[in-house]
Amino acid sequence: MTTRNSQYSDKKQTPGSDPVRHHPPLPDDFEGEERRDVEDIWKKCADLQPHPVRKPTRKETEIALKSVHRRLDMPKTRPVTTIRSRIAWMAAAALILLTFGIGYLLIPQTVSAPYGERATVELPDGTGVELNSGTTIRYSRLFGIRNRNISLDGEAFFTVESGERPFIVNANRSVVEVTGTAFNIRSRSDDPGFETRVHVAEGSVSLYPAGDPGRKVTLEAGKWSRWNNSMVAPMPPETEAVDRMAGWRDNRFIFRNEPLGSIFREIERRFDIRVQLMEENAASELLTAHYSDPGQPEKIIEDICHVKGLRYSKTANGFRIYR
Amino acid sequence: MNNTDETEQRRLADGIRKSDQRAFDELFRAMYPRLVRFAFKITRDWNASCDITQDIFVMLWQQRNNIDPDRSIHSWLYRSVRNRSYNYQRDRRNIADPEMADALTDESYPADVLVNEDRQEALLKRKFREWIHALPLRQRETFELSRFEGLCHQEIAAVMDVSVKTVNNHLTAALKQLRMRYKAYRQASQDQ
């Protein structure tokens, strides 16, 4: 290793001369790619506090200082309060308030509909959102001021007020973008491939994979599309009867070519029960079903088992399904 | 370490040499927590680390006439705490199970998996901690003094009683090692 840079050679410090200081203290023996890597590593290690993370607190430090004073027979002292330090305190207090204020604004607002229940929310811009069971939406407290972004895990029907700023739903790995319209999104993080399905009742809506707006599919009223992470682009628009788009709002239970696993999970959410599928292979079998108002879950379970050659038994909190 | 720190150190060192108790208190308040943490890394004994650090400050005041304001007072503190911590650890190791200290160190990586933290990120942090811990002792100590205690090369040299060039060599070797490990790690996660 050569010492190309003289500032790291042993320079003797002589009294009166300024000792050589370097900042940042990375050695200069790295160049090009190596240098960039090392700088990256240096940065990554920044908050890797050495173990243990614990340090004596301010109070423990004061107690220790008192004990040192006693050992040295020093008179008692107090932390010096000068005007300057008082200003520093006030500045610190203001900063803490400001931080909490901003922090508060940065904490997202979360609204959930638990299993077996539904919820209706009105967003600050007047947009109405109906949440199906087991659904969570999250949006900034600044919603409507800076942007109209919202994230969704589950299924919801949106009636978006038109506005200058686009209304954007981040649904797992898909993005749905609109200006003013009514549509249903189903995007459950436990569905295979993070599939998102969008049905448009009024106006028009764009659907694209997150981070890839070039693959945008635009849906007019009466159309639907879907995307999951095994697809390059969303499915070209297909027609769907408007009254079937968000059947859950009228207590309907509608499935079109969906895997049994997803259907059982939807039953769990709708009725707040547990459905245990003991036959793993069956989870990916597809099924189409339509109930106008099933009332009880057992009716659906019974039918599914009949069609798929499965059997079921009741458990304390739901059903167990096996071959 | 920057120039403000340096002037600050010199001011406090001057003050203590002139028996200014307020300068002593100020230095104590600023350095005591860091030094206790530093000692704990060597001793793995909280009370002993507090005692050692307090002893060093008592010694500093008793020997204040000998303070050389041209030399970093931080180096002196770290160096004294370090020596005494190693002595303590050596004496105790003769009694206790020598494996103990290392076992404790391995256990004590803080769990980084904070709720909001990206799992990848947390995993990488954990890896970095492991890699730093796995460095040869002198390299690791140099790296930690530089990165975590913020000491400059000259100060580290004074703490560890080696030349500045050796400090530089240790640091370079440590970074090379970390880079190699990080590269291999990235490669492995890409292959998956």
Side-chain angles (χ1 to χ4, degrees):
Chain A
M1 190 171 59
T2 54
T3 313
R4 246 176 290 100
N5 197 310
S6 62
Q7 66 178 338
Y8 288 111
S9 57
D10 299 40
K11 226 183 230 175
K12 287 275 174 293
Q13 290 176 18
T14 45
S17 78
D18 268 335
V20 196
R21 304 280 188 204
H22 321 293
H23 201 77
L26 272 178
D28 273 341
D29 305 291
F30 302 104
E31 279 184 335
E33 195 200 333
E34 208 179 8
R35 172 107 208 144
R36 275 195 301 280
D37 283 2
V38 166
E39 275 169 3
D40 180 37
I41 287 168
W42 193 256
K43 240 183 259 150
K44 282 208 163 59
C45 292
D47 54 347
L48 289 185
Q49 273 306 311
H51 40 261
V53 176
R54 174 159 149 68
K55 276 200 289 192
T57 60
R58 187 186 285 266
K59 202 175 160 197
E60 285 170 328
T61 304
E62 288 307 318
I63 293 168
L65 181 56
K66 269 197 197 122
S67 138
V68 168
H69 284 167
R70 267 198 306 276
R71 284 169 67 183
L72 292 169
D73 277 332
M74 283 174 164
K76 278 181 197 158
T77 55
R78 231 172 236 201
V80 215
T81 316
T82 60
I83 300 235
R84 219 171 106 199
S85 74
R86 213 170 280 150
I87 289 172
W89 272 107
M90 275 155 66
L95 188 69
I96 288 167
L97 276 176
L98 195 65
T99 312
F100 272 99
I102 292 172
Y104 174 78
L105 288 176
L106 290 179
I107 298 169
Q109 188 82 268
T110 302
V111 182
S112 296
Y115 279 30
E117 285 174 38
R118 284 188 220 146
T120 306
V121 193
E122 191 180 307
L123 300 178
D125 68 336
T127 291
V129 190
E130 284 173 65
L131 308 181
N132 197 356
S133 309
T135 298
T136 300
I137 57 168
R138 202 165 271 138
Y139 53 93
S140 155
R141 283 175 205 274
L142 297 170
F143 181 92
I145 298 168
R146 271 194 9 239
N147 54 39
R148 297 203 288 169
N149 290 3
I150 184 167
S151 68
L152 164 78
D153 185 359
E155 180 166 22
F157 188 86
F158 292 84
T159 314
V160 175
E161 285 293 311
S162 32
E164 276 175 36
R165 299 174 200 284
F167 186 92
I168 295 172
V169 185
N170 294 291
N172 290 304
R173 307 204 177 168
S174 308
V175 178
V176 177
E177 194 175 324
V178 302
T179 42
T181 167
F183 57 99
N184 189 75
I185 305 181
R186 179 193 154 118
S187 181
R188 302 260 189 210
S189 51
D190 52 9
D191 275 350
F194 299 98
E195 178 152 306
T196 295
R197 296 180 173 211
V198 181
H199 289 80
V200 182
E202 287 169 34
S204 84
V205 167
S206 306
L207 167 69
Y208 56 88
D212 197 0
R215 307 265 183 211
K216 189 177 284 187
V217 164
T218 302
L219 303 165
E220 304 297 328
K223 300 285 182 190
W224 78 284
S225 174
R226 63 190 184 93
W227 180 83
N228 63 50
N229 65 9
S230 68
M231 301 164 75
V232 178
M235 180 186 81
E238 283 191 4
T239 307
E240 171 76 288
V242 172
D243 64 333
R244 287 198 176 190
M245 285 182 168
W248 57 271
R249 295 168 68 210
D250 307 317
N251 290 324
R252 292 206 249 183
F253 216 81
I254 301 172
F255 288 101
R256 178 161 300 191
N257 264 331
E258 285 185 41
L260 283 187
S262 301
I263 295 176
F264 287 141
R265 277 193 297 274
E266 200 58 40
I267 293 172
E268 290 185 325
R269 284 187 278 256
R270 172 79 69 95
F271 299 101
D272 191 17
I273 56 170
R274 289 279 303 139
V275 181
Q276 289 167 269
L277 183 57
M278 312 307 285
E279 186 69 25
E280 274 185 34
N281 301 336
S284 54
E285 286 184 35
L286 301 180
L287 186 79
T288 298
H290 179 190
Y291 290 86
S292 53
D293 188 353
Q296 291 298 319
E298 187 165 0
K299 173 83 180 109
I300 310 178
I301 299 278
E302 194 184 330
D303 289 350
I304 291 175
C305 289
H306 180 72
V307 171
K308 290 291 175 189
L310 298 163
R311 290 183 298 154
Y312 73 93
S313 63
K314 281 194 176 186
T315 61
N317 55 359
F319 300 89
R320 184 176 293 129
I321 291 168
Y322 46 93
R323 188 74 76 187
Chain B
M1 158 120 347
N2 55 39
N3 285 328
T4 331
D5 259 2
E6 195 195 316
T7 350
E8 192 65 11
Q9 279 196 47
R10 188 182 285 262
R11 180 177 71 78
L12 293 179
D14 259 342
I16 294 169
R17 198 160 54 114
K18 291 171 188 150
S19 301
D20 176 359
Q21 195 194 325
R22 275 192 302 197
F24 177 82
D25 290 359
E26 206 176 315
L27 184 71
F28 187 94
R29 290 190 176 103
M31 296 303 291
Y32 178 76
R34 292 168 60 178
L35 289 165
V36 170
R37 186 180 65 185
F38 178 68
F40 185 85
K41 280 198 302 186
I42 300 168
T43 62
R44 316 303 306 176
D45 179 332
W46 183 259
N47 290 333
S49 304
C50 294
D51 289 348
I52 288 168
T53 309
Q54 289 172 33
D55 285 351
I56 297 304
F57 274 99
V58 168
M59 198 164 94
L60 173 72
W61 186 256
Q62 285 165 343
Q63 301 180 6
R64 59 189 179 276
N65 298 330
N66 303 330
I67 291 174
D68 177 356
D70 286 321
R71 291 176 55 186
S72 158
I73 195 134
H74 287 183
S75 309
W76 185 88
L77 287 169
Y78 274 109
R79 179 197 170 100
S80 312
V81 168
R82 176 178 180 267
N83 289 344
R84 208 170 270 219
S85 299
Y86 273 121
N87 287 346
Y88 173 85
Q89 189 218 25
R90 187 197 56 213
D91 295 346
R92 195 182 48 160
R93 269 198 179 201
N94 295 337
I95 314 161
D97 180 0
E99 300 289 310
M100 231 0 229
D102 280 338
L104 272 170
T105 314
D106 286 338
E107 291 286 307
S108 65
Y109 294 128
D112 277 313
V113 196
L114 299 170
V115 187
N116 291 326
E117 200 165 18
D118 190 24
R119 264 190 60 227
Q120 287 293 78
E121 195 85 336
L123 199 67
L124 186 61
K125 277 188 178 181
R126 208 187 158 79
K127 281 284 160 202
F128 264 112
R129 275 218 180 81
E130 276 171 29
W131 299 332
I132 292 168
H133 185 64
L135 290 171
L137 184 63
R138 309 285 278 178
Q139 285 179 25
R140 175 175 132 204
E141 209 175 358
T142 312
F143 183 84
E144 290 186 339
L145 283 170
S146 174
R147 189 61 187 114
F148 301 139
E149 305 298 337
L151 299 188
C152 75
H153 287 32
Q154 275 78 8
E155 288 174 320
I156 299 171
V159 170
M160 294 179 62
D161 208 8
V162 293
S163 72
V164 177
K165 191 155 189 302
T166 307
V167 169
N168 197 55
N169 290 351
H170 280 324
L171 201 56
T172 306
L175 283 164
K176 277 195 170 148
Q177 179 74 7
L178 291 177
R179 176 171 180 257
M180 203 185 70
R181 298 234 190 188
Y182 184 36
K183 256 193 160 169
Y185 174 77
R186 268 186 308 192
Q187 196 68 46
S189 40
Q190 265 167 23
D191 289 347
Q192 266 173 14

